[in-house]
């Protein structure tokens, strides 16, 4: 060749080729070498990770810049399903990211983010519940064990249970353990005492 070329860059290269035999006879031709970029850009997404929802049942999905390599050497812009720093609620999020180089080759990667609710319901258990018996009966019903219950993710879906199912409390003192559970399985437990007094006058 007119110039010794061991490698051809992406794009078009003019090449003049000289062929000579053992007797010095030569022939020359000119050609074009067109090298096409067929390699997709390479992306390295973050590993899967978990986040904990805050007091508003939200979390910000953030990640380090995604590494991109392309043989063109161009600086490429990565686009993902979510913007970095997007605020989301609890759930399982599969995030796909993609990039395209100047010749139309596409590179992709994806990662998974789980936003979980790990916060138990908040309530204050009454330490002692004093109540008169239901009129004419040796027990009391319809007791209130706490003033209010709040939960960061599902305040409308909270269940309450007692260690023993008690629908009526006999006159005297009964110790009870109360379990409160939210919609995501977070549990808070408290113990209290129910003191039922005989408030009926003898007849």
């Amino acid at each position: 060749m007119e110039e010794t070329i061991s490698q051809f860059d992406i794009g078009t290269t003019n090449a003049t080729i000289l062929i000579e035999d053992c007797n010095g006879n030569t022939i020359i031709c000119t050609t074009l070498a067109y090298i096409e970029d067929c390699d997709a850009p390479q992306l390295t997404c973050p590993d899967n990770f978990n986040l904990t929802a805050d007091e508003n049942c939200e979390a910000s999905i953030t990640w380090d810049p995604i590494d991109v390599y392309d043989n063109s050497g161009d600086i490429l812009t990565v686009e993902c399903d979510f913007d970095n720093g997007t605020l989301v609620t609890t759930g399982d999020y599969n995030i796909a990211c993609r990039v395209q180089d100047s010749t139309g080759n596409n590179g992709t990667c994806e990662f998974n983010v789980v936003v979980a609710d790990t916060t138990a319901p908040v309530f204050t258990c009454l330490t002692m519940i004093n109540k008169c018996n239901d009129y004419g009966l040796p027990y009391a019903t319809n007791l209130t064990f706490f003033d209010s219950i709040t939960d960061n993710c599902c305040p409308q879906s909270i269940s309450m249970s007692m260690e023993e199912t008690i629908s009526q409390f006999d006159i005297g003192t009964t110790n009870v353990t109360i379990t409160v559970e939210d919609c995501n399985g977070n549990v808070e437990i408290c113990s209290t005492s129910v003191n039922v007094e005989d408030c009926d006058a003898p007849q």
Side-chain angles (χ1 to χ4, degrees):
M1 277 192 257
E2 193 173 65
E3 295 181 1
T4 301
I5 303 175
S6 58
Q7 60 186 36
F8 292 83
D9 294 335
I10 292 172
T12 302
T13 302
N14 295 316
T16 300
I17 303 172
L18 172 66
I19 299 176
E20 182 176 1
D21 67 13
C22 60
N23 295 310
N25 300 303
T26 61
I27 187 172
I28 296 174
C29 74
T30 300
T31 189
L32 297 175
Y34 176 69
I35 306 301
E36 183 178 357
D37 176 13
C38 298
D39 293 346
Q42 299 175 13
L43 285 77
T44 303
C45 273
D47 293 332
N48 300 335
F49 60 92
N50 299 328
L51 295 172
T52 300
D54 63 14
E55 66 275 8
N56 297 314
C57 200
E58 296 176 323
S60 177
I61 300 180
T62 60
W63 59 86
D64 292 333
I66 294 175
D67 293 331
V68 183
Y69 169 76
D70 189 61
N71 56 6
S72 68
D74 295 338
I75 298 175
L76 304 177
T77 300
V78 179
E79 294 183 354
C80 297
D81 292 339
F82 291 84
D83 292 333
N84 200 341
T86 296
L87 199 64
V88 298
T89 186
T90 54
D92 192 335
Y93 298 90
N94 191 68
I95 302 175
C97 299
R98 61 198 65 81
V99 70
Q100 186 178 76
D101 65 17
S102 58
T103 55
N105 298 306
N106 296 297
T108 61
C109 69
E110 60 184 41
F111 60 102
N112 186 260
V113 180
V114 176
V115 179
D117 170 26
T118 60
T119 303
V122 177
F123 68 99
T124 301
C125 201
L126 300 176
T127 55
M128 174 64 79
I129 301 168
N130 295 302
K131 196 173 190 302
C132 285
N133 63 302
D134 293 356
Y135 181 74
L137 299 172
Y139 55 80
T141 57
N142 300 320
L143 275 70
T144 299
F145 295 96
F146 31 76
D147 293 329
S148 64
I149 305 176
T150 61
D151 188 72
N152 64 328
C153 286
C154 41
Q156 306 304 319
S157 302
I158 298 174
S159 63
M160 185 193 78
S161 62
M162 286 188 282
E163 194 172 48
E164 296 180 5
T165 303
I166 304 173
S167 59
Q168 59 190 40
F169 292 82
D170 294 335
I171 292 172
T173 301
T174 304
N175 296 319
V176 295
T177 299
I178 301 169
T179 300
V180 175
E181 183 175 356
D182 69 13
C183 62
N184 292 311
N186 300 300
V187 171
E188 187 67 29
I189 297 174
C190 79
S191 297
T192 188
S193 296
V194 176
N195 181 42
V196 178
E197 297 182 41
D198 179 5
C199 299
D200 290 352
Q203 297 181 4

